[in-house]
Amino acid sequence: MVTYSQSGVDIDLEEVTVSEIASKLKSTLNYRDIITDHGHYAALVKLNDTAIAMSTDGVGSKILIAKMMEKYDTVGIDCIAMVVNDILCVGAEPIALVDYLAVEEPSPEMAGEIAEGLVKGAELSKIAIIGGETASLPEIIKDFDLAGTGIGFVDTDKIITGSDIQEDDVLIGLRSSGIHSNGLTLARKAIFEKAKFKVTDKMPNSDITVGEELLKPTEIYVKPIVNLLKQNFEIKGLAHITGGGFNNLKRLKKGVGFDINNLPEPQDIFKLIHEQDVDISEMYKVFNMGIGFIIVAKEDEATDIINFLNKDCEAYKIGKVTANEKVVVKSFEGSIIEY
């Protein structure tokens, strides 16, 4: 059985590590008027009637796929997507970002390709890239690493933290573009080491190669979510489904559970990974499984919200909030998974 931990990424240990850091840093929150605590998707600093939302993230080991493909013009989109999608989760509109590119050795050609992706991501997000830093670190970095820190704004009376979520609220899922930028370590282990695929091999029943599928940029949800928040719907919670799969919903509110029982069919890349002896429970714990973003709303508004969202993306009613403090998922195989 191939697991994320065996591939080199221990999610549980990561959580303990993050908790250790957060506990040390918690006292610094007293220096300013902070609205959200550690653990949410984005932090909020209050400035009068407005709050600044901040988030930081990177591309992760998807960079290794870019290296295998010798194609670097999309990872910048991933970098921006991972940041702006998190900023959206508190109801904020992303406005600006700074990037950090650390390299083993400078390569103007590669840097130019990376910049192309950053420009495209900024265009899709309608944000300004207002600065950044490039560092040559040959004794620390192998190849390169790319990360970004973004900010957004939200009126304090429009902040969404998940605190208003109640039993029987509806979960609305937005389609992902594929694997996005999470779980690539497990994906590479399963596809390249176990199944012996090459990046140039075709996906089963497709003209697209495995490398092209894995390199598809993370979906950016700024347009549909910002447009949605301008309407009169009562949005209870917003969740970016990243590493950790649907367990990300637990960030929104303690004391409730989530029953996800009506997911659309996942993309073939997930089925291919699962076929390489990756347990179905592990799949839903690590990957987005076809849903990259979730909106929590009142049941009587769900249909109207879905109809509104379908102008800009694919939206589905995928489940509901429960009193059971667990995430329960019905897999594409029909099995029931609990976390």
Side-chain angles (χ1 to χ4, degrees):
M1 192 73 67
V2 181
T3 67
Y4 208 13
S5 179
Q6 291 171 348
S7 303
V9 179
D10 188 327
I11 293 177
D12 295 331
L13 184 59
E14 278 191 356
E15 289 182 0
V16 174
T17 302
V18 171
S19 179
E20 178 67 17
I21 295 171
S23 66
K24 301 291 186 185
L25 300 180
K26 192 168 185 177
S27 63
T28 69
L29 302 182
N30 297 322
Y31 301 145
R32 296 290 175 176
D33 192 352
I34 307 300
I35 299 171
T36 52
D37 205 338
H38 288 294
H40 209 289
Y41 287 92
L44 287 163
V45 183
K46 187 178 179 182
L47 292 175
N48 299 320
D49 294 330
T50 303
I52 300 174
M54 293 188 67
S55 183
T56 189
D57 210 338
V59 180
S61 66
K62 194 167 189 172
I63 283 170
L64 298 178
I65 306 296
K67 181 185 177 184
M68 295 165 76
M69 294 285 289
E70 297 184 339
K71 186 177 187 299
Y72 304 100
D73 61 347
T74 60
V75 291
I77 302 174
D78 291 288
C79 179
I80 289 178
M82 297 303 292
V83 173
V84 297
N85 288 343
D86 277 4
I87 289 173
L88 292 171
C89 292
V90 291
E93 180 174 358
I95 62 163
L97 178 140
V98 293
D99 65 276
Y100 176 71
L101 176 63
V103 298
E104 184 176 9
E105 60 180 343
S107 170
E109 183 179 352
M110 183 179 70
E113 286 192 45
I114 292 170
E116 288 178 26
L118 290 169
V119 169
K120 182 62 177 178
E123 177 188 344
L124 293 169
S125 306
K126 296 295 183 284
I127 63 166
I129 301 177
I130 58 175
E133 175 70 15
T134 301
S136 298
L137 304 169
E139 295 179 285
I140 300 174
I141 295 293
K142 182 172 173 58
D143 302 316
F144 72 96
D145 190 24
L146 177 64
T149 299
I151 62 169
F153 283 107
V154 58
D155 292 339
T156 53
D157 61 348
K158 294 181 180 178
I159 292 169
I160 299 169
T161 64
S163 61
D164 295 331
I165 292 174
Q166 297 177 336
E167 184 180 355
D168 293 327
D169 283 339
V170 170
L171 305 178
I172 299 167
L174 304 188
R175 190 69 163 165
S176 70
S177 59
I179 201 166
H180 285 184
S181 274
N182 300 101
L184 270 298
T185 300
L186 176 56
R188 287 186 295 107
K189 182 83 171 180
I191 293 173
F192 300 129
E193 293 186 29
K194 188 169 180 62
K196 306 299 183 185
F197 274 86
K198 298 181 177 65
V199 289
T200 53
D201 290 336
K202 295 291 178 66
M203 287 283 296
N205 307 312
S206 174
D207 290 332
I208 192 171
T209 68
V210 171
E212 289 169 337
E213 178 63 39
L214 291 174
L215 210 53
K216 281 182 179 178
T218 303
E219 192 72 30
I220 290 175
Y221 297 102
V222 171
K223 182 179 180 181
I225 297 301
V226 168
N227 287 342
L228 177 68
L229 295 177
K230 291 177 180 177
Q231 309 307 306
N232 292 321
F233 299 118
E234 184 179 347
I235 304 302
K236 303 283 197 79
L238 298 164
H240 185 198
I241 305 306
T242 56
F246 296 107
N247 272 323
N248 282 277
L249 286 165
K250 292 179 179 178
R251 298 191 193 188
L252 299 182
K253 185 177 182 178
K254 295 179 180 179
V256 297
F258 303 91
D259 182 17
I260 303 167
N261 54 30
N262 191 38
L263 289 170
E265 194 77 4
Q267 290 92 338
D268 287 343
I269 186 63
F270 299 114
K271 295 178 181 179
L272 179 62
I273 295 168
H274 174 50
E275 288 166 2
Q276 313 314 316
D277 202 26
V278 179
D279 187 75
I280 194 70
S281 178
E282 187 82 352
M283 294 296 300
Y284 284 87
K285 184 179 180 181
V286 174
F287 300 110
N288 68 65
M289 298 305 289
I291 294 293
F293 203 90
I294 292 177
I295 299 146
V296 187
K298 295 194 301 183
E299 185 174 16
D300 60 3
E301 292 186 337
T303 299
D304 289 339
I305 290 172
I306 290 169
N307 290 337
F308 180 84
L309 288 167
N310 277 330
K311 295 183 294 183
D312 294 318
C313 59
E314 293 180 52
Y316 316 84
K317 181 179 177 180
I318 62 170
K320 65 179 183 178
V321 179
T322 68
N324 176 20
E325 296 182 31
K326 291 183 179 180
V327 176
V328 180
V329 183
K330 182 180 180 181
S331 76
F332 69 88
E333 293 183 330
S335 58
I336 303 298
I337 305 162
E338 289 190 2
Y339 301 105

